[in-house]
Amino acid sequence: MSENGALPHRGRVLTVDTMNPNVKKVDYAVRGPIVQRALQIEKELKEGVKKPFEEVIKANIGDAHAMGQRPITFFRQVMALCSYPQLLDDNKFPEDAKNRARRILQSCGGNSIGAYTTSQGIDCVRHDVAKYIQRRDGGIPSDPDNIYLTTGASDGIVTILKLLTTGEGRTRTGVMISIPQYPLYSASIAELGAVQVNYYLNEEKCWSLDISELQRSLQAAREHCNPRVLCIINPGNPTGQVQSRQCIEDVIRFAAKENLFLMADEVYQDNVYAEGCEFHSFKKVLFEMGPEYSRKIELVSFHSTSKCYMGECGFRGGYMEVINMDQEVKAQLSKLVSVRLCPPVPGQALMDLVVNCPQPGEPSYQTFMKERTAVLSALAEKAKLTEEILNTVPGISCNPVQGAMYSFPRITLPQRAINEAKVALCHMFFMSFA
Amino acid sequence: MSENGALPHRGRVLTVDTMNPNVKKVDYAVRGPIVQRALQIEKELKEGVKKPFEEVIKANIGDAHAMGQRPITFFRQVMALCSYPQLLDDNKFPEDAKNRARRILQSCGGNSIGAYTTSQGIDCVRHDVAKYIQRRDGGIPSDPDNIYLTTGASDGIVTILKLLTTGEGRTRTGVMISIPQYPLYSASIAELGAVQVNYYLNEEKCWSLDISELQRSLQAAREHCNPRVLCIINPGNPTGQVQSRQCIEDVIRFAAKENLFLMADEVYQDNVYAEGCEFHSFKKVLFEMGPEYSRKIELVSFHSTSKCYMGECGFRGGYMEVINMDQEVKAQLSKLVSVRLCPPVPGQALMDLVVNCPQPGEPSYQTFMKERTAVLSALAEKAKLTEEILNTVPGISCNPVQGAMYSFPRITLPQRAINEAKVALCHMFFMSFA
């Protein structure tokens, strides 16, 4: 401070020039300029501005409830019971919902979902997740100690990428991701200062994955970084393909040969619509390939409450299963997740319901199955409809949507439109220099 | 792969030697070895192992519900209504609870808390937060655009530290934190690769903060890094002091003089117990110091649903208010939080109830106030009790607990105990070499 008590000239401490440079590099299209523009248009419509349309439909993200999908009654009954346990005395709630709620509450400190849980997640939920995986994968064992509950799948993916990121310059960790991509990957890679290594899905073959393309991409990346991780999204986001069992085997062999850590984003595992397509978990295929693979390949698989028939994005529930992770690294992972204390408990509870849903003979079973089937059928129908309608538009072509919640059409711009745009762009430049 | 199809010798991709070195440096005592040992003892007790005690009481973290504190009825009623809106027709719920739930649901996509929200958080919740701050701070304006909802306060703190971390070697960002500290800070600083700059609270003066110590610490740090951030926790964690208005003014003047970005962790703002102590928000003091300060000092203040009289840690609700943040940096912050899509919606809803609690004349007001007062009185009583009992133990002395949820006693070890421990340690070494 100067002698007369006035502050000296003081610039801002934090400016774009003095901030974390990795954060600046982050590009997040799902919530980027197009979304900002959509929000603006929506606001204008609300304020009465006249447009040639009345409504903005946001198709930039798989947000099922926002698009009118109804929540599964059973899930929400249990959530209400967990939130306000006085309702356990209410005879309007079915017994199986009450049992689930009681079991979750008994696992919580002070029987309250307002208490912190252990950082890895509630014990009984992790056990239920392991049982679910074991059932799903035809009996291949799953260890609750390998299950980490997360704040949505995003949280788990970022955490594992964080563990894997190291090195400087040519030794920096390279992360192989599919293009077209889900922007969480590019954003997290930029934020962590890792290197994004693109491999391209084959649009001509319905967005399938070619091992030769993986090989090309890896080779090229090795010139400038240390590619250590291969990320797979199956069913695909945003391309909607479903990988064949053969393809998954080939990917695992490739990862084995090239010493890559596998990350399998499997949040759309119930979203498979096309005839002849089936979901195969990476874990199952890995174990069916024999001990040579199942004892060696490091794999993390991610799931969440946000997609499939649940669509409960707002709860930010999820889990990851880590396989063949070095014990010391696992200890580091446990320490790392403990810094954020615990995943949101309502999300943990919801994850439990997904993996421990009503069973035949339980009072809620029929309603649950009816609702589940209705949602999945509606999604299948919409997948078909989207593909068909897009393909009727001249200049647009779209692959069959085999799974997930997205279609990724190709738009061919006519030469005349391109020429016009070029002229318009020139005018813009002239204007900006005028 | 070798020619006979066997895999070549394949080491693990991810080991402690090849993992992120910053993660390895993270040390997180709140969930560290003592907690691990406590969990083990608890397990042994469950398995019937005889011990000279029957129960483990975990006092390592402010986890009110786990310690028997009951949730606020009104909050949980609204949470149940939001989770299962069919209950809106139930006449067992008071009208004010229903109104809050309806308002929250109307702000959610598809009227469901299962939809994603905007990344900054639900619009009406951010408006309610701004109104709450304005009320709390005697009318000093708060802009909803400056409010970001978070996944607990931890999430906000890490996000802001992330923005501020830059540089290499001697230009690396230094973050000033109080010692004794809350380990979230040291852990996040290590993970981000920033430099931890310690300033010591004065135990002799009831853990108060001396500006001369801030000055000493800053001076020393400037030798080896670029200290840019000053973190304050008030009321203090884990030391329980409450800062005087004068002290806060001095800190702000210091930050102004030394060009520091201020982070004020104010999650215990309702937890003030000692006579003559009062909570003053950094924002309020800053604005009362006049435009010279209020227009310049960059400040972020954090709050959450986890502490105070709510104790709803499991919901991971929170907000931060950013003041005088550079507009371009704010855009970067908005982009950064968008990568994780949105904070958990149940936590957002709960945060809304905290800042928009029942008002005089509303049906839930009396019960709410009764419950709130009961919790805060019980905490005040326990604070007094803890201090008194600790001070009766020879060799232990403890400052008065003015606020927050912690006492931080000094333990003086008798020379004989130290000598015995040295001998025991020597024996251990002998044993390990035997």
Side-chain angles (χ1 to χ4, degrees), chain A residues 260-272:
Chain A
L260 296 170
F261 188 104
L262 272 176
M263 290 173 62
D265 180 340
E266 299 178 320
V267 300
Y268 299 96
Q269 51 191 268
D270 294 330
N271 299 113
V272 176

Side-chain angles (χ1 to χ4, degrees), chain B residues 193-265:
Chain B
V195 180
Q196 178 178 330
V197 176
N198 298 335
Y199 64 89
Y200 293 85
L201 299 174
N202 190 337
E203 186 172 8
E204 270 63 49
K205 292 195 200 157
C206 201
W207 297 116
S208 66
L209 190 162
D210 294 338
I211 298 297
S212 60
E213 167 59 13
L214 284 183
Q215 195 71 62
R216 180 210 60 77
S217 156
L218 182 71
Q219 221 82 348
R222 284 197 172 135
E223 303 284 313
H224 61 94
C225 70
N226 177 18
R228 306 173 68 199
V229 202
L230 173 53
C231 300
I232 304 279
I233 313 180
N234 177 50
N237 176 1
T239 36
Q241 81 284 12
V242 177
Q243 291 189 338
S244 68
R245 200 184 176 293
Q246 183 60 50
C247 173
I248 295 173
E249 255 190 47
D250 293 344
V251 169
I252 292 172
R253 271 199 201 93
F254 178 81
K257 182 168 74 91
E258 301 293 353
N259 231 37
L260 296 170
F261 189 104
L262 272 176
M263 289 172 63
D265 180 339

Side-chain angles (χ1 to χ4, degrees), chain A residues 10-15, chain B residues 146 252 261 283 286-287 290-300 321-330:
Chain A
R10 181 186 195 273
R12 279 216 168 78
V13 177
L14 184 60
T15 66
Chain B
N146 289 342
I252 292 172
F261 189 104
K283 163 106 180 276
L286 178 68
F287 275 71
E292 197 173 6
Y293 293 91
S294 68
R295 288 193 194 145
K296 285 186 176 171
I297 303 296
E298 294 151 88
L299 167 70
V300 184
E321 182 184 27
V322 304
I323 294 151
N324 292 323
M325 185 174 266
D326 179 272
Q327 282 306 316
E328 284 178 279
V329 175
K330 231 176 110 180

Side-chain angles (χ1 to χ4, degrees), chain A residues 7 10 12-13 18 23 26 65 76 83 90 92 112 114 162 191 228 292 298 313-314 324 335 345, chain B residues 7 12-13 18 23 26 65 76 83 90 92 112 114 162 191 228 259 292 298 313-314 324 335 345:
Chain A
L7 281 171
R10 181 186 195 273
R12 279 216 168 78
V13 177
T18 62
V23 172
V26 169
H65 291 196
R76 293 311 194 85
S83 301
D90 193 317
K92 266 188 302 213
S112 167
K162 193 179 284 169
E191 191 188 315
R228 308 172 69 200
E292 197 175 3
E298 295 150 87
C313 321
N324 292 322
K335 179 189 71 179
V345 183
Chain B
L7 281 171
R12 279 215 167 78
V13 177
T18 63
V23 172
V26 169
H65 291 196
R76 294 309 194 88
S83 301
D90 193 316
K92 266 189 302 210
S112 168
K162 193 179 284 169
E191 190 188 315
R228 306 173 68 199
N259 231 37
E292 197 173 6
E298 294 151 88
C313 321
N324 292 323
K335 178 189 72 179
V345 183

Side-chain angles (χ1 to χ4, degrees), chain A residues 187-198:
Chain A
S188 311
I189 291 166
E191 191 188 315
L192 291 164
V195 180
Q196 177 177 330
V197 177
N198 299 335

Side-chain angles (χ1 to χ4, degrees), chain A residues 120-131 133-134 141-149 320-322 330:
Chain A
Q120 201 170 342
I122 299 174
D123 214 59
C124 84
V125 179
R126 288 188 295 109
H127 275 83
D128 288 347
V129 168
K131 273 190 240 159
I133 294 173
Q134 201 158 320
S142 171
D143 182 348
D145 260 5
N146 289 341
I147 308 296
Y148 289 76
L149 302 184
M320 56 184 175
E321 183 183 26
V322 303
K330 231 176 110 180

